[in-house]
């Protein structure tokens, strides 16, 4: 007899535990404001990433098309993946001295793991992380970027 | 030829592949099962499907570059992986980091442990057929990832600890956000119990399944929550305190039943403990720098160095042999997942396939951590 009672009480207890779980599901079912899903990509216009978000490496230029990069190559050395290539050129200054300037700052986004070491180690704060995150392109050659703009030159007063 | 007796059914052992693409093996783990009917006689784990040669790659990287790579091993406890390498390098150089760095590292480790256990909880429910848990666990994990993203700019592979300190100082909103999260999660964690722990189906599938005695746990080197569920007190935070763990008081979550349910409950207990640790530290972060001035080229003195931390899965160690150059001569990781996996065949012997899934889920395996 007791076995039957145990069986019945087990069944009832089991149903009770299931109802406990269903209560939570029901609670959220009737409270749609607690839904946390982001409606991406519909919210693209209003979506803002955090200011420190590491999206890709960029080189900021001012309105005179000037950047702060001296071409020292520390970012190239500190990169663990070899995703930065620095190509420098030598120019002759009016006073006859030779000066090394940056020709191309090549950045391979496809090889970058966004570890922030280049930005951290840059002595002249020339490169920063941008907050972009939609990096998909049709062809992988588009992932290789030249960060300094054509015709740009180094800003006045950057220590070398 | 003699005819077989008609009233006796001949059975024989047969082999079945589980994985490498099986959803309950959490990645690319291949288990070769030796079965008789539905009963598991032997489990033979075949690893190496996601082997990425991280130990070998570390030999060609300089010391400051190594922590970024360790994030990719046990991606669910990424911060502990960085921390262990940083601690090892700092100890070798004799660098003492400021208290502020220690406090922030500990808070990050505990947040990471919470995030890892949340994901484990949702996947455990999903493996046992309760898909709902997946959404609730990820909902709460998202809050932690937002905290990470605001302070260090990444969600999963943080790269926040670097040798000699931290990548950035904490964000001004950090403390407020952590407080908000703790208040939020204190209300949500009982929901986990209501949703899954008390569930009759879950209880039936985990209670008494895969019992693993304490001696076997020690012999196989099972650490972390899986080891503590069998009564093996192995918390590195308690026995060999590092960072800010000497300054906090917390209970080591122990259980002596050693079954799947115990492994589950130890992790739920750990979540409460993690929250209490964060609460003790978050308002007392000392002022100061977050970065010790290091040399441009970090070179470790010749010798052998070892450091352990408690990751979300257990005892995580790094062993560096240095020959005085700027990159290590040899670097070896002692990953908890590898040792925990080695005990799987002993744990699941004699149980059914469905129990094997529950046992494996309770071990909380992360495959890149095993393969490295």
């Amino acid at each position: 007899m007791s076995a039957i009672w145990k069986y019945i009480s087990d069944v009832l207890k089991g149903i009770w535990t299931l109802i406990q779980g269903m209560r939570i599901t029901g609670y959220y079912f009737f409270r749609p404001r607690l839904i946390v899903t982001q409606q991406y990509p519909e919210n693209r216009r209003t979506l803002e990433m955090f200011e420190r978000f590491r999206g890709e490496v960029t080189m900021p230029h001012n309105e005179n098309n000037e950047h702060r990069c001296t071409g020292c190559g520390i970012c190239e050395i500190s990169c663990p993946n070899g995703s930065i290539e620095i190509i420098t050129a030598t120019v002759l200054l009016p006073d006859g001295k030779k000066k090394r300037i940056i020709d191309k700052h090549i950045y391979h986004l496809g090889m970058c793991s966004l570890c922030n070491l280049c930005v951290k180690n840059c002595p002249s704060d020339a490169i920063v992380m941008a907050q972009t995150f939609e990096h998909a392109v049709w062809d992988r050659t588009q992932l290789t970027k030249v960060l300094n703009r054509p015709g740009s030159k180094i800003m006045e007063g950057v220590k070398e | 030829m003699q005819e077989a007796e008609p009233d006796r059914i001949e059975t024989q052992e047969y082999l079945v592949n589980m994985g490498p693409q099986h959803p309950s093996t959490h990645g690319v783990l291949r288990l070769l099962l030796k079965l008789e009917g539905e009963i598991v006689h032997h489990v033979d784990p075949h690893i190496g499907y996601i082997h990425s040669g991280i130990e070998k790659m570390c030999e060609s990287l300089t010391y400051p570059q190594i922590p970024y790579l360790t994030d990719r091993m046990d991606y669910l406890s990424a911060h502990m992986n960085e921390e262990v390498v940083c601690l090892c390098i700092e100890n070798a150089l004799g660098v003492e980091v400021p208290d502020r760095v220690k406090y922030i590292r500990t808070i990050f480790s505990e947040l990471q442990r919470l995030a890892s256990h949340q994901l484990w909880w949702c996947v455990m429910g999903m493996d046992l057929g309760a898909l709902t848990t997946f959404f609730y666990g990820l909902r709460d994990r998202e809050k932690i990832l937002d905290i990470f993203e605001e302070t260090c700019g990444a969600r999963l592979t943080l790269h926040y600890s670097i040798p000699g300190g931290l990548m950035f100082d904490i964000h001004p909103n950090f403390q407020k956000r952590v407080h908000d999260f703790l208040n939020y999660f204190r209300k949500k964690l009982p929901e986990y119990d209501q949703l899954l722990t008390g569930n009759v189906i879950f209880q039936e599938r985990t209670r008494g399944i895969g019992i693993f005695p304490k001696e076997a746990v020690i012999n196989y080197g099972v650490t972390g929550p899986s080891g503590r569920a069998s009564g093996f007190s192995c918390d590195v935070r308690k026995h060999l305190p590092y960072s800010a763990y000497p300054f906090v008081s917390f209970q080591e979550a122990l259980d002596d039943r050693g079954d799947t349910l115990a492994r589950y409950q130890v992790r739920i207990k750990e979540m409460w403990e993690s929250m209490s640790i964060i609460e003790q530290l978050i308002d007392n972060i000392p002022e100061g720098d977050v970065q010790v001035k290091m040399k441009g080229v970090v070179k470790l003195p010749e010798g052998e160095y070892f450091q352990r931390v408690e990751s979300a899965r257990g005892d995580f160690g790094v062993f560096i042999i240095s020959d005085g150059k700027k990159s290590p001569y040899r670097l070896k990781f002692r990953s908890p997942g590898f040792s925990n996996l080695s005990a799987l065949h002993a744990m699941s012997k004699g149980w059914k396939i469905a129990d094997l899934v529950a046992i494996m889920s309770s071990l909380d395996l992360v495959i890149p951590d095993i393969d490295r």
Side-chain angles (χ1 to χ4, degrees):
Chain A
M1 199 61 189
S2 66
I4 296 172
W5 279 116
K6 191 180 175 304
Y7 177 75
I8 293 173
S9 77
D10 277 358
V11 169
L12 290 177
K13 260 187 218 157
I15 292 172
W16 176 246
T17 62
L18 294 181
I19 290 171
Q20 286 290 316
M22 284 305 286
R23 256 175 56 185
I24 301 213
T25 311
Y27 177 84
Y28 287 103
F29 183 74
F30 289 109
R31 280 167 185 78
R33 69 184 172 81
L34 294 176
I35 291 174
V36 292
T37 318
Q38 286 203 16
Q39 296 300 325
Y40 180 80
E42 283 82 8
N43 67 352
R44 236 183 211 163
R45 285 176 192 285
T46 56
L47 184 65
E48 261 191 48
M49 305 306 285
F50 291 110
E51 63 204 61
R52 288 182 185 175
F53 178 73
R54 309 204 287 254
E56 64 173 313
V57 178
T58 52
M59 188 183 286
H61 288 63
N62 68 1
E63 62 276 8
N64 300 330
N65 202 13
E66 290 171 338
H67 56 74
R68 297 177 64 90
C69 181
T70 58
C72 64
I74 287 181
C75 50
E76 189 180 7
I77 297 167
S78 60
C79 180
N81 311 311
S83 55
I84 294 177
E85 277 175 63
I86 305 286
I87 297 173
T88 53
T90 315
V91 289
L92 211 60
L93 293 180
D95 56 357
K97 280 183 193 160
K98 280 182 184 169
K99 192 189 170 194
R100 205 172 66 139
I101 58 155
I102 180 97
D103 182 24
K104 272 181 183 168
H105 188 295
I106 300 172
Y107 170 55
H108 302 277
L109 178 57
M111 282 153 76
C112 181
S113 60
L114 305 168
C115 66
N116 206 40
L117 280 174
C118 52
V119 176
K120 188 184 180 315
N121 291 343
C122 181
S124 50
D125 298 330
I127 44 178
V128 293
M129 280 284 178
Q131 278 75 47
T132 51
F133 58 92
E134 290 171 335
H135 294 311
V137 285
W138 289 108
D139 183 11
R140 73 173 116 159
T141 55
Q142 287 169 294
L143 290 172
T144 299
K145 300 173 182 187
V146 178
L147 293 189
N148 55 331
R149 291 186 197 149
S152 63
K153 59 179 194 294
I154 188 164
M155 226 176 266
E156 289 283 317
V158 178
K159 233 201 254 176
E160 296 194 26
Chain B
M1 285 288 287
Q2 203 177 1
E3 270 184 40
E5 290 174 53
D7 57 346
R8 206 171 133 213
I9 301 167
E10 287 280 325
T11 58
Q12 62 178 42
E13 284 189 340
Y14 61 101
L15 297 172
V16 170
N17 264 317
M18 185 169 167
Q21 298 296 337
H22 193 278
S24 82
T25 56
H26 299 187
V28 280
L29 174 66
R30 176 177 155 219
L31 298 176
L32 195 58
L33 308 182
K34 199 181 273 180
L35 302 170
E36 188 186 330
E38 212 186 335
I39 296 164
V40 178
H41 276 193
H42 189 71
V43 180
D44 210 0
H46 285 236
I47 59 170
Y49 286 89
I50 196 160
H51 179 70
S52 43
I54 286 180
E55 283 179 6
K56 192 71 190 166
M57 276 161 81
C58 286
E59 290 170 19
S60 60
L61 294 177
T62 62
Y63 288 106
Q65 287 174 349
I66 292 173
Y68 108 93
L69 199 58
T70 58
D71 285 348
R72 272 90 183 155
M73 286 193 306
D74 185 355
Y75 46 81
L76 292 180
S77 41
H79 187 262
M80 288 84 126
N81 294 4
E82 292 160 18
E83 195 181 0
V84 65
V85 178
C86 295
L87 286 173
C88 193
I89 294 171
E90 283 155 13
N91 288 349
L93 291 172
V95 173
E96 178 72 21
V97 292
D99 275 357
R100 186 178 176 83
V101 176
K102 290 182 184 171
Y103 273 62
I104 296 171
R105 274 184 185 170
T106 308
I107 293 169
F108 258 73
S109 294
E110 290 306 315
L111 283 173
Q112 184 83 75
R113 193 183 316 279
L114 272 174
S116 169
H117 284 354
Q118 281 165 353
L119 190 83
W120 155 82
W121 178 79
C122 33
V123 173
M124 175 116 192
M126 200 175 69
D127 283 348
L128 298 181
L131 186 68
T132 323
T133 61
F134 198 76
F135 305 114
Y136 290 98
L138 283 189
R139 173 196 66 187
D140 302 335
R141 184 167 174 265
E142 199 72 6
K143 307 251 177 211
I144 297 183
L145 297 191
D146 275 349
I147 295 172
F148 288 162
E149 195 181 350
E150 191 172 39
T151 285
C152 58
R155 297 164 70 80
L156 199 65
T157 51
L158 306 174
H159 199 220
Y160 188 50
S161 274
I162 51 174
L166 302 170
M167 185 70 96
F168 316 97
D169 201 352
I170 50 171
H171 195 272
N173 286 345
F174 178 72
Q175 275 152 313
K176 187 184 157 293
R177 262 181 186 272
V178 172
H179 273 300
D180 286 352
F181 169 74
L182 289 179
N183 292 335
Y184 166 84
F185 196 53
R186 265 182 205 291
K187 293 197 199 84
K188 297 295 176 193
L189 195 48
E191 239 177 45
Y192 285 23
D193 284 338
Q194 206 181 347
L195 199 62
L196 190 64
T197 317
N199 188 297
V200 62
I201 303 166
F202 180 77
Q203 293 262 334
E204 290 291 316
R205 285 197 61 181
T206 52
R207 179 168 286 144
I209 304 290
I211 297 174
F212 208 50
K214 188 178 172 183
E215 293 73 43
V217 159
I218 295 170
N219 288 345
Y220 279 100
V222 178
T223 49
S226 316
R228 287 196 282 280
S230 302
F232 174 34
S233 168
C234 57
D235 200 329
V236 182
R237 297 176 290 171
K238 204 82 182 166
H239 298 294
L240 294 165
Y242 54 94
S243 289
Y245 288 110
F247 311 134
V248 293
S249 67
F250 66 99
Q251 290 273 315
E252 186 179 356
L254 278 173
D255 207 311
D256 48 8
R257 288 170 293 163
D259 60 351
T260 305
L261 189 62
R263 288 191 279 275
Y264 173 89
Q265 280 170 343
V266 161
R267 284 198 175 87
I268 296 278
K269 260 187 234 162
E270 268 198 5
M271 285 206 235
W272 287 107
E273 291 303 326
S274 289
M275 281 201 280
S276 113
I277 293 173
I278 298 170
E279 209 147 63
Q280 289 172 44
L281 294 175
I282 187 71
D283 287 327
N284 308 320
I285 302 177
E287 294 295 318
D289 284 338
V290 291
Q291 174 75 50
V292 181
K293 188 89 182 118
M294 301 280 274
K295 281 183 191 153
V297 180
V298 181
K299 280 181 183 170
L300 257 58
E302 217 167 295
E304 299 174 357
Y305 308 97
F306 184 63
Q307 176 69 40
R308 303 158 72 177
V309 295
E310 180 77 14
S311 91
R313 257 145 227 93
D315 184 346
F316 191 93
V318 63
F319 180 61
I320 297 178
I321 302 178
S322 168
D323 54 356
K325 299 209 177 79
K326 61 181 180 178
S327 43
Y329 174 75
R330 171 84 170 96
L331 195 143
K332 163 92 176 82
F333 292 109
R334 187 259 180 228
S335 70
F338 188 78
S339 310
N340 293 4
L341 177 69
S342 73
L344 182 65
H345 76 95
M347 271 184 205
S348 55
K349 194 169 185 157
W351 296 98
K352 304 248 165 65
I353 297 183
D355 300 328
L356 171 69
V357 172
I359 293 166
M360 198 161 54
S361 202
S362 74
L363 284 177
D364 193 13
L365 303 172
V366 168
I367 311 305
D369 181 38
I370 296 165
D371 274 352
R372 299 195 289 286

